[in-house]
Amino acid sequence: DQEVEPGLRSVAVPLRDAAGRTVAALNVGTHASRLTVDDLERRVLPCLRVAAGEIERAWGAAVPATGDELRPENDRPPETAS
């Protein structure tokens, strides 16, 4: 949040190759007056994750088959049976 440039917010996700190494990043930046940090996390980050998955699949990386696995609500650890 405005760490690199005052008035600029951005969010990024890694892009990994077929070996799982981070080789690039996908970034979206905006003026701080347009989106809050929460807006970036809720509205932009899920789209970036899906786009990153599509790029990684095109590179031959082992990523989930659909974007559903990349959505924030699916980032939680699996529940265990009691």
Side-chain angles (χ1 to χ4, degrees), residues 11 15-16 18-19 22 24 28 34 40 43 45 54 56 60 73:
V11 63
L15 295 174
R16 295 182 175 92
T22 298
V28 170
R34 292 184 173 255
L40 283 172
R43 296 170 48 195
L45 186 56
E54 292 174 5
E56 290 173 344
E73 61 268 19

Side-chain angles (χ1 to χ4, degrees), residues 3-4 24 27 33 39-40 46 48 50 52 58 65 77 79 82:
E3 294 171 358
V4 175
N27 176 69
S33 67
D39 288 333
L40 283 172
L48 279 177
V50 170
E79 294 181 22
S82 319

Side-chain angles (χ1 to χ4, degrees), residues 46 49-50 64 66-79:
R49 288 178 172 159
V50 170
T66 68
D68 292 337
E69 293 87 350
L70 301 172
R71 300 201 189 290
E73 61 268 19
N74 293 324
D75 284 348
R76 289 181 246 118
E79 294 181 22

Side-chain angles (χ1 to χ4, degrees), residues 18-58:
R21 296 176 300 229
T22 298
V23 294
L26 194 55
N27 176 69
V28 170
T30 186
H31 194 277
S33 67
R34 292 184 173 255
L35 293 174
T36 66
V37 173
D38 187 56
D39 288 333
L40 283 172
E41 290 174 351
R42 286 184 306 105
R43 296 170 48 195
V44 178
L45 186 56
C47 296
L48 279 177
R49 288 178 172 159
V50 170
E54 292 174 5
I55 292 167
E56 290 173 344
R57 271 191 299 285

